[in-house]
Amino acid sequence: MRSIFFWRIIVILVVTVLLASLLMTGGYMYFSRDAYTAIKLNEMVPEAEAISQLYIEHAQNKVTDEAFLRMIEKLMLASNTTGIIIDKNTNEIYNSIVFSEFREQNYSSVIQKDLQGALEGHSTRKTDILLTDANAALSVCLPIRYEGEILGGVYLLKSPTEIKSTTNRLNNSLVLAMAIVLPVMLLLSTFGARQVTEPLRKMGEVALQMSQGDFKVRADETEIGEVGLLARALNNLCDTLSQMIQQLSAEKSQLKAIMASFSEGVAATDSEGFLTHYNPALMRMFGSVRAGSRSELISDEAVWAAFDEVYTTREPQIMHYPMQNDRMIWITLSPILTDAEKECIGVVGLFKDMTEVENQERSRKEYIQNISHELRTPLTAMRGLLEPLSDGMVTQEEDRQRYYKIMMREVLRLSRLITDMMQLSRLQAGTEYMEFAEVDIVEVLEDIHINYQKECAQRGINLELDAPPMPHVITDPDRVEQVIIILLSNAMRYTPEGGTITIRAENMARVNISVSDTGTGIDPKDLEHIFERFYTVDKSRKEGTTGLGLSIAQHIIEKLNEKIIVQSVQGEGSCFTFTLKKYVSNAIALGPAHENWDGIPTDQEFLQLMNEEIVQDEQDAFYEQLPPDEGKKKPRKKPK
């Protein structure tokens, strides 16, 4: 019955689903590239029109030659496009096309023909410009018109690499979606087949209850055909093996409970190399969903080869097994010997995750190395200056004073380093005290803006403040001021002359404070390490930085039970944002220092939370919101 109904239905459904999926995937992959190519070709037209408008402004002397070429270059770079701009006399104003990329065509004649057509008022779009790698590039050529007169032509060329990579990602996403959908469809198909084969499902339930030790159940022997035969066989098997199965079930339950209680992973194989025992800890360690065989439990055959070697040699073995995300597993393998004949009947392996231990050891070594490096730098500089002074080699008073100033600067740098290290250690140890009070955050920001505006002006940086009236917050004002100064100093260090730093306050679900700049930005590979101690984006370590400021800022914010994140685009600037809880009349009684998020949110969840607008009558529903001019203010120390 099972072979006739169940498997036939399953095979038909599986073949149908797979065939439909393959046809849909193949059709999408076949037509998606042409569609995306047409989209990209249409996107090139506004780029050409923008370049035309820039050229018109340039021709009217509204834009200098240098600014015109720089804007064109940035526009070309942003859109990953190359091109040529000519005037009405066919003189080249700009040319960034690498002619060696063309293949089997006279590029000069192709471009000149299109540009000549542009001077005559014709627009061209092509997708058949061949490159040396046999890929067809896209080209757009438009005339530059102003008040009915043609001033020149624009010719743009886009490489197909972007199109190919994008379509490949879309295709991969489709394949991944199919890979996710197919198992769901198969499960639904299986469910439908089982509905058709309902008698067999009932027999499976009876067999399952028997295998779990419930031998009081009986299958329905009144069913006709093969189902009835199977029911009678199961009932006879239940009567014969009831006592034996109960005994084995008890022993198995005991062994399973013991292995499940282990925090380390355990696996055992028999004399044939087959997997006999394993525990959930091992499955979690290797991310296994099922373990029907040892390769499904651990896919790396090197581990099982070590099992086989221990079985052959009967000698214990210890191996270090590296895994993804810098995890390290210690595997201890031992042979299983019988008491009487000392015969090896299998191998047992203990898997212990030593990642945390090794990370702690590595962190300790790196910390010592970083401290040694940071202390050695100023000490070496001072020694190099003290030796000629002590030997009387520096005779000029002016030189001696210069040496003293340099040594004083190095001593101050060493003092800052030690102070930052001590403060960071206290924050990490949890001994740094936070004094919470009602704070007018706008006043804090205005004070900082006034105090640092002159320093920014001396550096040629524009310091802006965007802080409309805000609700008061409950926090430690000195610590918040310290965090803002750290972020502001960091922004000044990496913002070039002529740049802008903006201190902004926003009234969202909490009060969001951000310090953004138009500086060099942060490389994406550096973003995940930006808050680590001694980590600097500039490996040469600019003077005045110890690499501890952002780490101190993060620990202060976490100590205040808030959240801080960084967003950055390399070449455009960075933005550091942290939150502050709003003050309510009984906030101190509620204990704001112990208030927790419902789990520390991820950066993505935090961004969504920060951007949530305030809904009237929902925030602090039964607490009174104080206006900004009420409540006592804690005196603050003015920054020097």
Side-chain angles (χ1 to χ4, degrees):
M1 293 290 290
R2 189 176 182 85
S3 60
I4 295 176
F5 294 99
F6 183 81
W7 288 111
R8 179 174 294 178
I9 293 175
I10 289 297
V11 169
I12 293 174
L13 292 176
V14 168
V15 171
T16 303
V17 171
L18 288 176
L19 184 59
S21 300
L22 290 174
L23 290 175
M24 290 175 61
T25 303
Y28 175 82
M29 290 182 176
Y30 180 79
F31 293 106
S32 63
R33 183 177 179 84
D34 292 338
Y36 191 74
T37 299
I39 293 174
K40 282 296 180 183
L41 191 62
N42 291 332
E43 291 178 354
M44 291 174 65
V45 175
E47 296 174 9
E49 293 174 352
I51 293 173
S52 300
Q53 183 61 36
L54 283 176
Y55 178 80
I56 293 172
E57 293 181 2
H58 171 257
Q60 295 174 349
N61 295 323
K62 295 181 180 179
V63 179
T64 63
D65 294 343
E66 181 182 356
F68 171 75
L69 294 177
R70 186 170 63 253
M71 286 188 290
I72 292 297
E73 192 68 29
K74 288 184 177 180
L75 184 59
M76 293 290 187
L77 183 61
S79 60
N80 194 20
T81 308
T82 58
I84 297 176
I85 304 174
I86 64 171
D87 58 14
K88 60 184 178 181
N89 297 321
T90 69
N91 295 321
E92 287 187 0
I93 306 302
Y94 174 85
N95 190 341
S96 63
I97 293 181
V98 181
F99 296 108
S100 59
E101 292 180 351
F102 289 89
R103 177 192 183 206
E104 298 178 2
Q105 287 196 27
N106 186 333
Y107 60 83
S108 179
S109 62
V110 172
I111 295 177
Q112 289 179 2
K113 181 179 178 181
D114 292 341
L115 288 174
Q116 186 62 39
L119 295 178
E120 296 174 1
H122 303 295
S123 302
T124 58
R125 302 183 188 181
K126 295 182 179 180
T127 59
D128 56 354
I129 305 298
L130 297 181
L131 304 178
T132 55
D133 55 1
N135 289 316
L138 309 180
S139 68
V140 169
C141 185
L142 297 178
I144 302 176
R145 288 190 176 94
Y146 181 72
E147 295 182 354
E149 181 183 358
I150 297 178
L151 302 181
V154 178
Y155 183 90
L156 297 182
L157 182 69
K158 183 181 287 291
S159 173
T161 304
E162 179 182 354
I163 298 174
K164 182 184 296 185
S165 62
T166 303
T167 53
N168 288 340
R169 288 197 299 270
L170 292 174
N171 293 338
N172 292 337
S173 300
L174 179 62
V175 173
L176 178 60
M178 288 298 179
I180 296 174
V181 171
L182 282 178
V184 177
M185 295 300 299
L186 292 179
L187 289 176
L188 294 176
S189 301
T190 304
F191 176 78
R194 285 180 178 176
Q195 293 299 319
V196 176
T197 58
E198 182 66 18
L200 293 180
R201 186 190 64 80
K202 293 181 180 179
M203 290 299 302
E205 293 178 352
V206 172
L208 180 61
Q209 294 180 28
M210 289 183 179
S211 66
Q212 294 175 349
D214 185 6
F215 297 101
K216 296 181 181 180
V217 297
R218 289 294 182 270
D220 187 5
E221 298 182 1
T222 60
E223 293 286 344
I224 61 174
E226 297 173 348
V227 176
L229 292 176
L230 180 59
R232 287 189 290 273
L234 285 176
N235 292 337
N236 292 334
L237 180 63
C238 178
D239 295 335
T240 304
L241 301 179
S242 175
Q243 185 177 358
M244 183 181 298
I245 294 299
Q246 289 179 0
Q247 182 179 359
L248 292 176
S249 297
E251 295 178 356
K252 182 178 180 180
S253 298
Q254 293 177 358
L255 180 60
K256 183 178 180 180
I258 293 173
M259 295 186 65
S261 64
F262 290 166
S263 59
E264 292 82 8
V266 178
T269 57
D270 58 14
S271 58
E272 299 295 330
F274 294 112
L275 184 66
T276 57
H277 297 87
Y278 61 92
N279 65 343
L282 184 61
M283 297 183 66
R284 292 192 298 269
M285 192 176 295
F286 286 88
S288 303
V289 179
R290 52 171 298 181
S293 63
R294 66 184 194 177
S295 61
E296 291 180 346
L297 180 62
I298 303 176
S299 60
D300 192 349
E301 288 298 327
V303 176
W304 302 115
F307 270 78
D308 298 337
E309 183 179 352
V310 170
Y311 176 80
T312 303
T313 61
R314 300 188 181 183
E315 294 292 334
Q317 187 178 128
I318 297 177
M319 62 183 298
H320 294 183
Y321 185 77
M323 298 185 67
Q324 295 179 352
N325 300 326
D326 297 329
R327 294 175 57 203
M328 177 61 68
I329 306 296
W330 286 9
I331 305 176
T332 303
L333 304 176
S334 302
I336 304 175
L337 304 177
T338 59
D339 294 335
E341 302 178 358
K342 300 297 181 183
E343 180 183 357
C344 186
I345 59 175
V347 178
V348 62
L350 179 65
F351 298 74
K352 188 172 183 179
D353 191 343
M354 301 296 292
T355 305
E356 183 176 355
V357 175
E358 295 200 355
N359 286 342
Q360 291 177 353
E361 180 66 18
R362 182 167 54 252
S363 177
R364 183 185 65 82
K365 292 180 180 180
E366 290 178 353
Y367 187 60
I368 294 175
Q369 291 174 357
N370 288 331
I371 292 177
S372 301
H373 172 76
E374 295 297 334
L375 294 177
R376 187 185 299 114
T377 301
L379 291 176
T380 302
M382 287 188 290
R383 178 181 177 182
L385 296 172
L386 282 172
E387 287 180 350
L389 286 173
S390 62
D391 294 340
M393 298 175 62
V394 182
T395 59
Q396 298 294 329
E397 180 64 23
E398 182 180 353
D399 293 337
R400 283 198 298 269
Q401 292 300 324
R402 181 167 54 87
Y403 276 36
Y404 292 149
K405 289 181 180 179
I406 295 175
M407 286 190 293
M408 177 60 70
R409 186 169 63 248
E410 294 299 330
V411 169
L412 292 176
R413 177 183 177 185
L414 185 60
S415 176
R416 286 196 304 272
L417 174 61
I418 295 174
T419 301
D420 288 347
M421 288 167 51
M422 293 178 63
Q423 183 178 16
L424 183 59
S425 298
R426 289 195 300 269
L427 286 169
Q428 291 176 333
T431 59
E432 195 77 357
Y433 178 70
M434 300 290 168
E435 185 176 353
F436 287 83
E438 178 195 1
V439 180
D440 184 352
I441 192 62
V442 176
E443 180 183 344
V444 175
L445 297 180
E446 289 175 348
D447 290 346
I448 295 175
H449 178 256
I450 294 172
N451 292 336
Y452 281 85
Q453 196 167 27
K454 182 177 180 181
E455 182 177 350
C456 289
Q458 291 175 349
R459 297 169 178 255
I461 300 173
N462 182 28
L463 179 60
E464 296 182 353
L465 175 64
D466 182 8
M470 292 282 153
H472 288 190
V473 298
I474 178 74
T475 188
D476 187 326
D478 292 334
R479 298 297 184 178
V480 170
E481 185 173 347
Q482 182 181 0
V483 170
I484 297 175
I485 291 174
I486 290 174
L487 299 179
L488 184 58
S489 300
N490 185 73
M492 287 191 294
R493 187 176 298 115
Y494 294 101
T495 301
E497 183 177 354
T500 300
I501 299 176
T502 303
I503 304 175
R504 180 176 289 107
E506 296 179 289
N507 184 11
M508 297 296 183
R510 294 192 177 198
V511 174
N512 300 336
I513 307 299
S514 63
V515 178
S516 60
D517 60 72
T518 59
T520 57
I522 304 172
D523 193 288
K525 69 176 182 293
D526 293 322
L527 277 176
E528 58 182 293
H529 306 288
I530 198 67
F531 291 108
E532 295 179 4
R533 58 193 177 195
F534 296 112
Y535 190 88
T536 57
V537 175
D538 185 358
K539 303 305 178 184
S540 64
R541 297 190 183 273
K542 293 187 177 180
E543 181 179 358
T545 177
T546 62
L548 296 175
L550 291 180
S551 182
I552 292 174
Q554 184 190 40
H555 280 84
I556 291 175
I557 291 300
E558 291 177 353
K559 186 74 173 177
L560 294 173
N561 195 34
E562 301 291 352
K563 180 79 173 178
I564 182 172
I565 64 168
V566 57
Q567 297 170 284
S568 180
V569 177
Q570 194 170 12
E572 297 183 9
S574 306
C575 179
F576 289 82
T577 305
F578 63 91
T579 63
L580 294 175
K581 180 175 173 23
K582 297 176 182 177
Y583 178 82
V584 291
S585 58
N586 58 348
I588 297 179
L590 292 174
H594 301 285
E595 177 192 331
N596 294 317
W597 302 82
D598 295 333
I600 298 300
T602 63
D603 286 350
Q604 183 176 4
E605 294 171 341
F606 177 60
L607 286 172
Q608 182 179 359
L609 178 63
M610 286 198 310
N611 292 328
E612 290 180 357
E613 295 291 346
I614 298 176
V615 180
Q616 189 67 25
D617 300 329
E618 289 187 2
Q619 179 181 352
D620 299 324
F622 51 90
Y623 300 116
E624 177 188 1
Q625 182 77 40
L626 293 182
D629 57 346
E630 293 186 12
K632 298 182 179 179
K633 300 180 178 63
K634 175 178 177 287
R636 296 182 297 102
K637 298 177 290 185
K638 295 294 183 180
K640 297 181 180 179

